[in-house]
Amino acid sequence: MKLPGQREIADLPTAPSMGASKHVMSRTQLAVWMSFPSRHYTPWARNQGWILLGVAALVHLVVSLVIAMGKDSQWSEVLLAPFCLTGLFWGLGLLFVLGARGARRRDHAEAPARDKALAVWERLYYCARDNVAFEPGVGVSFHPGETREYIFGFRGRAI
């Protein structure tokens, strides 16, 4: 039994008398190929980083206070020992925050090319019979798996 999301469609005629072979493609794969690429930057990744840094600071403070209440505790021990527990949170938080900053810069630098590619992508059509994507008036057809190369590469430079 197949799940509803894994249905398959026949893209080419299947009649043996026509000499055509059955070409089957999942709808999910076709949707992935024909969709417009997502951006690099997602605000949630940055927010997760800040949340992890906040959790690390809170846990670090609590553990430092617990160690400080003990007998004969040194200040270096109070400040450095909690990093054994919170180091992973500090590291992942900084990784998310700094990674989101770099992705935001890339998105800003790629914005003009992305706008041109979106204009090309909005004019694309898919022919289920021939299993090709095309842009009316251009005279070029391509496999749906080459959509990104077409909108950013071949056609993206022509606009």
Side-chain angles (χ1 to χ4, degrees):
M1 182 172 144
K2 293 185 179 183
L3 297 175
Q6 296 177 343
R7 286 178 282 188
E8 297 177 339
I9 57 173
D11 291 327
L12 296 175
T14 59
S17 62
M18 296 178 71
S21 62
K22 184 178 181 183
H23 178 75
V24 178
M25 177 186 302
S26 73
R27 291 182 182 182
T28 304
Q29 184 61 47
L30 182 62
V32 168
W33 279 340
M34 294 297 293
S35 65
F36 193 73
S38 61
R39 295 177 181 258
H40 300 290
Y41 171 69
T42 56
W44 179 239
R46 183 198 64 216
N47 294 343
Q48 283 178 324
W50 288 115
I51 290 169
L52 281 173
L53 288 173
V55 168
L58 184 64
V59 170
H60 194 96
L61 176 67
V62 170
V63 171
S64 294
L65 290 174
V66 168
I67 292 173
M69 289 189 304
K71 294 181 181 178
D72 299 326
S73 57
Q74 308 264 336
W75 283 108
S76 60
E77 178 184 359
V78 169
L79 294 177
L80 297 177
F83 278 113
C84 294
L85 295 174
T86 62
L88 182 65
F89 293 114
W90 286 110
L92 288 175
L94 285 172
L95 181 71
F96 285 162
V97 169
L98 296 176
R101 182 175 180 230
R104 192 170 50 241
R105 281 186 184 166
R106 271 195 316 274
D107 279 347
H108 183 67
E110 294 173 355
R114 189 172 179 79
D115 292 340
K116 289 179 186 178
L118 182 61
V120 171
W121 179 80
E122 288 175 340
R123 291 189 299 267
L124 292 181
Y125 288 89
Y126 173 71
C127 176
R129 185 191 69 176
D130 297 328
N131 189 31
V132 294
F134 64 95
E135 183 179 1
V138 176
V140 176
S141 61
F142 53 93
H143 188 270
E146 299 169 342
T147 301
R148 283 167 176 73
E149 289 84 7
Y150 180 80
I151 63 175
F152 283 106
F154 170 74
R155 191 69 176 100
R157 286 187 229 116
I159 292 182

